[in-house]
Amino acid sequence: QVQLVESGGGLVQPGGSLRLSCAASGIIFSIYDMNWYRQAPGKERELVASITSSGGPTYADSVKGRFTISRDNGKNTVSLQMNSLKPEDTAVYYCNVRSMPYWGKGILVTVSS
């Protein structure tokens, strides 16, 4: 049974930082590309960042230069370091195994003063 569990969300002021983590189990984590998505209230889910099995990252234009995706294949985790956060980054963030129907339950990030 595949499980993805996100952690690290919360409330942060504009300009602040948060680090999200996703712990995976039930899959051979190291062979899969991984994604972080987010869904803001009233909006469609959007892809924020991806990382290949070998560690190559890609980012949405809206977060490029502010967010960093990384992975630890030894710990079966993928992380998202979010810096210079803006109110428009407020959303539920989801971990996903690329091209597979495996999703975490999501974690809320709120950027507000």
Side-chain angles (χ1 to χ4, degrees), residues 22-65:
C22 172
S25 60
I27 59 170
I28 304 174
F29 179 79
S30 61
I31 69 173
Y32 289 103
D33 300 350
M34 297 294 296
N35 297 322
W36 281 100
Y37 281 80
R38 68 185 179 188
Q39 187 165 19
K43 295 189 176 181
E44 292 187 355
R45 193 172 293 189
E46 65 169 338
L47 179 62
V48 174
S50 299
I51 189 165
T52 65
S53 58
S54 58
T58 57
Y59 301 95
D61 287 344
S62 58
V63 307
K64 203 171 291 184

Side-chain angles (χ1 to χ4, degrees), residues 2-6 22-24 27 34 95-97 102-105:
V2 178
Q3 284 193 313
L4 301 172
V5 180
E6 299 98 341
C22 172
I27 59 170
M34 297 294 296
C95 178
N96 161 253
V97 181
Y102 304 134
W103 293 83
K105 292 183 178 180

Side-chain angles (χ1 to χ4, degrees), residues 41-108:
K43 295 189 176 181
E44 292 187 355
R45 193 172 293 189
E46 65 169 338
L47 179 62
V48 174
S50 299
I51 189 165
T52 65
S53 58
S54 58
T58 57
Y59 301 95
D61 287 344
S62 58
V63 307
K64 203 171 291 184
R66 300 188 298 122
F67 290 12
T68 302
I69 190 170
S70 61
R71 66 188 298 156
D72 185 333
N73 288 340
K75 295 182 178 179
N76 287 5
T77 58
V78 57
S79 298
L80 187 68
Q81 177 67 41
M82 305 185 295
N83 298 329
S84 302
L85 283 161
K86 304 175 181 180
E88 51 264 43
D89 294 317
T90 295
V92 177
Y93 284 72
Y94 298 90
C95 178
N96 161 253
V97 181
R98 181 184 284 181
S99 302
M100 301 290 277
Y102 304 134
W103 293 83
K105 292 183 178 180
I107 193 158
L108 178 62

